[in-house]
Amino acid sequence: MITLITNIKELLQVRETSVSKVSGAEMAVLPTIRNAFLILEDDLIADFGEMKNLPEIKADQVMDATGKIVLPAWCDSHTHIVYAGNREQEFVDRINGLSYEEIANRGGGILNSALTLNAASEEEIYEQSKLRLEEVMHLGTGAVEIKSGYGLTTEGELKMLRVIKKLAENYPIAIKATFLGAHAFPVQYKENKAGYIDEIITRMLPEIAKNKLAAYIDVFCETGYFSVEETEKIMAAGIQYGLIPKIHVNQFNSIGGIQAGIKFKALSVDHLEVMSPDDIKALKDTETMPVALPSCSYFLSIPYTPAREMIKAGLPLALATDFNPGSTPSGNMNFVVATACIKMKMTPEEAINAATINGAYAMGLSETHGSITKGKKANLILTKPISSYYQIPYAFGSNLIERVFLEGKILA
Ligand code: NIG
Ligand code: FE
């Protein structure tokens, strides 16, 4: 099946030769073609160029994109889309003065979601989670990472990972699964932290590896959660089982988690709301992608990742949603891109690079996703008629998406 899109006002993120990520000053460069055509063959990008060079082809489907912009679908490298229930009561509690930390300390937060998840059946969790996945696909997301971490029991964690696997089988979107058993210490292990880490290492990891349920291992490395030493122990065990680390660090405190991630060759270090000059320095010239989650900063009213300082230091940066019931009940990458521009002072070019090619890198998908490159997946956003791509962050509350293409097909 050949689809031809003609008269595209501007085709964004065009990379003749694929790059794996963009860093520092390169992030300000977003290669585009004005008045472009794009040819899709089945699920892949087959060709593109200026309209004046449009080859003679017989297309099965022709779409005229006059006045509209086409860009690669968003690559959301950090989500917790699979969960049960919600935490709207905690949201109201925070409005009334309690902090996220205070709520967690009285048994709410992640432990609250774990209670709900363990009480729900695998089918119920699947039914609830698939609605969120469908929602983000319609918001233009074409590849997504999903974590476990609300089970905190061997059974609960495996249940979540099986739901992620089922979603990956049933939807035309690339899904990467991450094992986050080390999200919080369950109540029964409050006084026996080593016991829970032992359960992760000796019970959960072997089952996950045996059933190929995850590609990545995550740890919430934070004061009151997992120490740097515990994080290292869990990452090392995950690596033994073939999982690559991608970790939650520096959300509230800078305690050395970034350095630990780099030491264990983490694919990404995520959150980074609190960054010391040493943290920024440590990331320089590494293969570890820093990932910012501005919707989490927005929802919790915590600092935003210091993007300007990081980009000035030559680092790459990816943007993701963190979609989860506690700190970010939103999976809208358009809002993430807008918030990165508005609150983190990223330029539209930097934010789009961060939400496409760098997001793909943070999921190990930059060979197939994140740019308009021949042979990559035909995962695209076609906008409504807009004056320029600046509208994407500028009109932050508007839905500017007319169509989403996933694997070459228009999403109904
Ligand atoms: O990325 N920080 C740790 N984990 C999640 C939130 C977990 C929750 O509150 O449910 C996050 O923000
Ligand atoms: Fe998270």
Side-chain angles (χ1 to χ4, degrees):
M1 160 98 171
I2 294 186
T3 302
L4 167 66
I5 310 177
T6 57
N7 300 313
I8 302 167
K9 180 176 181 137
E10 196 162 6
L11 181 62
L12 309 187
Q13 189 62 298
V14 177
R15 306 274 174 179
E16 290 282 349
T17 41
S18 186
V19 293
S20 63
K21 60 175 161 51
V22 286
S23 310
E26 296 162 2
M27 288 194 63
V29 181
L30 182 69
T32 75
I33 301 177
R34 285 174 199 236
N35 198 18
F37 73 87
L38 179 62
I39 300 170
L40 317 179
E41 191 169 345
D42 300 324
D43 59 332
L44 301 178
I45 294 169
D47 201 4
F48 53 81
E50 286 182 57
M51 274 307 281
K52 63 175 197 260
N53 298 325
L54 177 64
E56 282 243 355
I57 59 148
K58 265 183 96 160
D60 302 289
Q61 177 178 223
V62 181
M63 289 180 77
D64 179 71
T66 301
K68 303 169 189 177
I69 284 173
V70 173
L71 66 153
W74 305 125
C75 295
D76 187 356
S77 67
H78 181 138
T79 84
H80 310 246
I81 278 177
V82 169
Y83 59 84
N86 65 62
R87 304 232 296 275
E88 61 198 20
Q89 184 56 52
E90 292 181 2
F91 167 59
V92 177
D93 293 343
R94 282 198 300 106
I95 293 170
N96 287 322
L98 282 180
S99 70
Y100 182 75
E101 201 183 357
E102 284 164 339
I103 290 168
N105 288 343
R106 61 169 198 185
I110 295 168
L111 298 183
N112 178 2
S113 287
L115 269 182
T116 317
L117 185 120
N118 281 297
S121 71
E122 199 163 318
E123 290 65 40
E124 281 166 347
I125 301 165
Y126 179 84
E127 289 303 316
Q128 292 182 27
S129 304
K130 79 173 196 195
L131 299 179
R132 287 185 281 272
L133 183 65
E134 287 169 11
E135 183 192 2
V136 304
M137 287 161 64
H138 284 95
L139 290 166
T141 295
V144 68
E145 180 260 16
I146 309 180
K147 300 172 195 296
S148 68
Y150 291 118
L152 310 182
T153 57
T154 301
E155 200 194 323
E157 288 296 310
L158 291 171
K159 186 160 74 171
M160 288 188 76
L161 290 168
R162 284 194 300 268
V163 170
I164 299 172
K165 190 173 179 191
K166 201 160 144 198
L167 290 170
E169 284 163 2
N170 293 349
Y171 285 88
I173 170 169
I175 296 182
K176 286 300 199 87
T178 299
F179 168 52
L180 176 55
H183 200 187
F185 286 98
V187 187
Q188 63 274 29
Y189 283 106
K190 214 169 162 213
E191 305 305 324
N192 177 19
K193 295 189 167 173
Y196 184 57
I197 294 171
D198 196 53
E199 173 155 352
I200 290 176
I201 296 174
T202 62
R203 293 198 56 214
M204 300 186 193
L205 272 172
E207 275 301 306
I208 291 163
K210 190 173 95 197
N211 297 298
K212 296 196 171 43
L213 287 172
Y216 304 117
I217 179 146
D218 198 342
V219 181
F220 186 14
C221 180
E222 181 58 63
T223 309
Y225 293 83
F226 292 80
S227 68
V228 172
E229 208 189 335
E230 289 161 343
T231 302
E232 292 197 351
K233 190 168 179 196
I234 296 161
M235 284 193 288
I239 291 167
Q240 290 288 313
Y241 282 100
L243 306 185
I244 298 165
K246 264 174 81 65
I247 56 176
H248 282 73
V249 290
N250 291 48
Q251 183 176 5
F252 301 107
N253 299 283
S254 169
I255 59 171
I258 291 179
Q259 290 75 2
I262 293 164
K263 186 165 136 196
F264 283 81
K265 297 198 166 28
L267 180 59
S268 71
V269 285
D270 303 32
H271 269 290
L272 316 178
E273 288 86 342
V274 177
M275 292 289 278
S276 73
D278 280 349
D279 293 329
I280 294 179
K281 230 201 278 149
L283 282 161
K284 190 88 178 121
D285 300 321
T286 72
E287 296 303 307
T288 298
M289 177 63 70
V291 180
L293 311 166
S295 298
C296 175
S297 299
Y298 177 83
F299 191 70
L300 293 185
S301 301
I302 61 175
Y304 288 86
T305 301
R308 288 266 52 93
E309 284 170 54
M310 294 168 69
I311 293 171
K312 193 166 157 218
L315 301 186
L317 189 62
L319 289 166
T321 63
D322 200 18
F323 198 175
N324 76 76
S327 71
T328 322
S330 163
N332 189 342
M333 280 295 285
N334 307 284
F335 179 78
V336 164
V337 167
T339 307
C341 295
I342 297 162
K343 295 293 186 183
M344 293 159 63
K345 301 277 177 259
M346 290 175 77
T347 64
E349 293 79 10
E350 288 170 337
I352 293 170
N353 273 319
T356 55
I357 191 66
N358 283 358
Y361 179 92
M363 291 185 271
L365 289 175
S366 43
E367 300 263 301
T368 50
H369 292 73
S371 65
I372 303 295
T373 303
K374 285 181 201 173
K376 278 200 178 185
K377 285 281 177 200
N379 286 5
L380 313 164
I381 293 171
L382 170 71
T383 70
K384 294 172 183 165
I386 52 177
S387 49
S388 81
Y389 64 79
Y390 289 179
Q391 283 286 328
I392 297 170
Y394 169 78
F396 69 95
S398 303
N399 179 5
L400 302 177
I401 297 178
E402 184 170 288
R403 289 263 185 274
V404 176
F405 288 75
L406 292 180
E407 307 200 336
K409 292 201 184 77
I410 294 173
L411 189 63

